[in-house]
């Protein structure tokens, strides 16, 4: 405690949390209010309890109140003359809070400490991004061989990893569909919009719409590069004046497209069906192809060793590593979407791991898609992983990618009473009113039915508001209200995790829980 500028700290809590607060707040005094649950406390109540207990300004240097208390700790400070701040919402985060205080971290009177840590970490991310977006920084960095300019966006070793969000089979979506998908990617954190053409087709008329795509994005404040992905020489030629970056140039079409604009070079000849599988052969093939491209007059070449899906992921990572060792100054691209889309596992951890590998190998551009339902959110996940990798170690930053699992297990447990009864399910009595719940457009929708007729639709994004509205308009039993509340919370969880929701169907499989054990 000697490092903490506040040597005498008082932790305020409720009765139920007292054991945990004493355990994790070691070295501090603990004041237990007569309220069972700390979240039910208010600053006014805390100030009253402390004054009644005879706490004076000279007794403590700092008061920490539970993070779940509503309102500001300023009232407590004004009443007692002792600096008062909000601590964490969970007692297990007290050690981190006290350690941060020792390093001079400034707590808030209105924001819980754990939430403040997240704000602080994300502010540091913003500071890094602002630094690398400075005009003088960019001009200096672009003089180095390991950085390039794609449209108006600098990329390379001296900049954060850039994300390309691929609009797959763009011609089939049409202009409006492409713009809608592009807006979605950009709001999720993409830096470049990739127009993916349809393999085996030639859609020249659609390519002429790319300027309109760019213009509509600009009107909404998104002045970003557009890349073009096709192996069709006619499509590539037509897009030369419209796009800022060209993907999928290989041995089969390299002589048909020569441009000063950046191109992504891949180690294939897809016309002949050739792709060197062994890492060393792949690297040598791509190095020779790069030399040929520069001899032909290409301005900027960005190699892509092709990140393969499992069971060939290891060899492709090896190829990237070997290439990077031999070519330390090249700007590289990797398509991570191919790995995620072809693995039936949650995308969060895979995107985090692939972003980490990319950092180690200094892969500067990551291409991803969100074609299948299991890949939804990949752009946002990559953005968060890239932000985490701006720091030396992606751990204990104040923000993370833990969506379904938790960093620390909660230690809440209470002693049972003298009488313990087994729960029994009773038959459900039918009522004249019933409800059908669904999710759509980021909202929860509820139809109230009498018989076969829907008599009212309620829409909202917060379960409590919806159930309050239901109870205000309809008389339903407590059991019915409990059922509806459970379904609304399930729908709310589905919205947060971007999952499908079907009423009375479990959101998650019983993977970890075995009810027979």
């Amino acid at each position: 405690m000697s490092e903490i500028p506040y040597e005498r700290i008082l932790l305020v809590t409720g009765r139920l949390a007292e054991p945990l607060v004493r355990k994790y707040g070691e070295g501090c005094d603990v004041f237990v209010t007569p309220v069972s649950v700390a979240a039910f406390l208010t600053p006014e109540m805390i100030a009253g309890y402390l004054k009644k207990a005879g706490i004076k300004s000279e007794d403590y240097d700092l008061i920490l109140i539970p993070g779940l208390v509503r309102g500001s700790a300023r009232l407590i400070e004004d009443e007692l003359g002792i600096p008062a701040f909000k601590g964490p919402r969970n007692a297990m985060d007290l050690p981190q809070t006290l350690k941060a205080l020792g390093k001079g971290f400034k707590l808030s009177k209105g924001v819980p400490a754990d939430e403040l840590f997240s704000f602080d970490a994300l502010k540091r991310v913003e500071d890094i991004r602002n630094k690398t977006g400075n005009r003088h920084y960019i001009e200096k960095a672009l003089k180095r061989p390991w950085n390039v300019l794609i449209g108006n966006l600098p990329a390379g070793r001296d900049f954060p990893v850039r994300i390309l969000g691929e609009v797959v089979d763009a011609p089939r979506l049409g202009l409006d569909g492409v713009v809608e998908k592009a807006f979605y990617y950009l709001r999720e954190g993409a830096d470049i919009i990739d127009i993916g053409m349809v393999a085996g087709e030639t859609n020249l008329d659609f390519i002429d719409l790319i300027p309109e795509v760019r213009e509509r994005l600009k009107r909404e404040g998104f002045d970003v590069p557009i890349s073009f992905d096709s192996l069709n020489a006619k499509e590539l030629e037509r897009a030369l004046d419209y796009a800022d970056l060209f993907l999928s140039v290989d041995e089969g079409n390299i002589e048909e497209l020569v441009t000063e604009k950046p191109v992504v070079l891949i180690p294939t000849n897809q016309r002949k069906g050739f792709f060197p599988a062994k890492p060393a052969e792949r690297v040598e093939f791509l190095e020779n192809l790069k030399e040929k491209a520069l001899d032909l007059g290409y301005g900027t070449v960005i190699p892509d060793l092709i990140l393969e899906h499992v069971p060939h992921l290891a060899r492709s990572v090896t190829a990237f590593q070997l290439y990077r060792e031999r070519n330390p100054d090249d700007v590289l691209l990797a398509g991570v979407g191919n790995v995620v889309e072809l693995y039936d596992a949650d995308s969060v951890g895979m995107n985090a791991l692939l972003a980490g590998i990319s950092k180690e190998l200094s892969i500067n551009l990551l291409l991803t898609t969100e074609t299948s339902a299991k890949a939804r959110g990949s752009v946002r996940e990559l953005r968060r992983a890239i932000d985490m990798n701006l720091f030396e170690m992606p751990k204990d930053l104040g923000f993370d990618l833990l969506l379904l699992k938790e960093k620390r297990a909660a230690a809440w447990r209470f002693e049972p009473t003298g009488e313990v009864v087994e729960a029994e399910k009773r038959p459900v009595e039918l009522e004249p009113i019933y409800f059908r719940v669904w999710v759509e457009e980021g909202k929860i929708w509820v139809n109230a039915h009498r018989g076969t007729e829907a008599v009212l639709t309620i829409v909202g994004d917060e379960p409590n508001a919806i159930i309050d509205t239901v109870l205000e308009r309809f008389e339903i039993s407590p059991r019915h209200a409990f059922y509806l509340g459970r379904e609304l919370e399930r729908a709310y969880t589905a919205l947060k995790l971007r999952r499908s929701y079907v009423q009375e169907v479990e959101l998650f499989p019983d993977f970890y829980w075995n009810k027979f054990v």
Side-chain angles (χ1 to χ4, degrees), residues 7 29 69 88 98 128-129 133 154 203 260 274 284 299 313 315 324 338 350 388 406 411 452 498:
E7 293 184 359
D29 287 348
V69 171
L98 297 174
I128 293 171
R129 293 194 171 278
N203 292 283
E260 286 290 320
F274 175 74
E284 186 176 352
L313 178 60
R315 74 183 186 190
R324 173 53 79 206
N338 192 38
M350 286 193 287
M388 292 170 67
E406 55 193 354
T452 59
R498 301 185 180 183

Side-chain angles (χ1 to χ4, degrees), residues 386-405:
I386 289 167
D387 289 346
M388 292 170 67
N389 286 328
L390 292 173
F391 302 92
E392 184 177 351
M393 176 74 74
K395 185 178 183 295
D396 297 331
L397 299 175
F399 67 106
D400 52 49
L401 266 171
L402 293 166
L403 304 185
L404 299 179
K405 293 197 174 185

Side-chain angles (χ1 to χ4, degrees), residues 275-306:
F275 173 58
K278 294 182 179 180
E281 294 176 0
R282 194 182 309 186
V283 169
E284 186 176 352
F285 182 86
L286 190 55
E287 287 175 335
N288 291 335
L289 202 59
K290 179 182 73 171
E291 186 177 341
K292 181 177 181 179
L294 295 175
D295 288 342
L296 286 169
Y298 281 87
T300 301
V301 173
I302 299 173
D304 173 9
L305 280 294
I306 300 183

Side-chain angles (χ1 to χ4, degrees), residues 324-469:
R324 173 53 79 206
E325 289 172 355
R326 293 168 54 151
N327 302 273
D329 290 347
D330 281 7
V331 174
L332 300 182
L333 177 144
V336 297
N338 192 38
V339 180
V340 176
E341 295 276 6
L342 296 174
Y343 207 126
D344 281 346
D346 290 333
S347 62
V348 180
M350 286 193 287
N351 279 320
L353 186 60
L354 291 169
I357 292 172
S358 299
K359 177 188 178 182
E360 286 189 40
L361 301 179
S362 189
I363 298 173
N364 320 104
L365 299 158
L366 296 180
L367 172 70
T368 194
T369 65
E370 295 189 13
T371 304
S372 64
K374 66 191 175 192
R376 287 177 189 164
S378 283
V379 170
R380 179 175 292 222
E381 292 159 13
L382 277 177
R383 170 55 59 214
R384 171 57 62 89
I386 289 167
D387 289 346
M388 292 170 67
N389 286 328
L390 292 173
F391 302 92
E392 184 177 351
M393 176 74 74
K395 185 178 183 295
D396 297 331
L397 299 175
F399 67 106
D400 52 49
L401 266 171
L402 293 166
L403 304 185
L404 299 179
K405 293 197 174 185
E406 55 193 354
K407 188 176 177 67
R408 288 181 293 273
W412 293 103
R413 184 188 180 278
F414 307 106
E415 290 298 322
T417 62
E419 182 184 10
V420 178
V421 298
E422 289 288 337
E424 292 183 13
K425 187 175 182 180
R426 294 184 177 182
V428 179
E429 296 182 6
L430 296 179
E431 299 184 26
I433 194 83
Y434 66 94
F435 303 91
R436 304 308 297 170
V437 184
W438 78 100
V439 297
E440 186 177 329
E441 298 176 348
K443 301 276 188 180
I444 303 172
W445 299 72
V446 180
N447 271 354
H449 289 260
R450 280 196 178 95
T452 59
E453 181 187 3
V455 296
L456 182 70
T457 298
I458 302 169
V459 59
D461 53 17
E462 206 282 313
N464 285 338
I466 296 176
I467 195 69
D468 286 346
T469 305

Side-chain angles (χ1 to χ4, degrees), residues 5 66 70 91-92 96 116 121 136 139 154 179 199 201 217 260 262 275 297 313 328 360 385 441 458 470 485 503 505:
R70 295 179 181 236
M92 291 184 296
Q96 181 187 5
L116 207 62
H136 296 294
E139 290 176 354
V179 171
E201 296 183 9
L217 295 180
E260 286 290 320
F275 173 58
L313 178 60
E360 286 189 40
E441 298 176 348
I458 302 169
V470 168
Q503 192 169 345
V505 175

Side-chain angles (χ1 to χ4, degrees), residues 73-86:
R74 183 173 296 281
L75 182 144
I76 300 168
E77 182 172 322
D78 292 342
E79 289 284 329
L80 280 86
I82 304 172
F85 300 95
K86 278 196 174 180

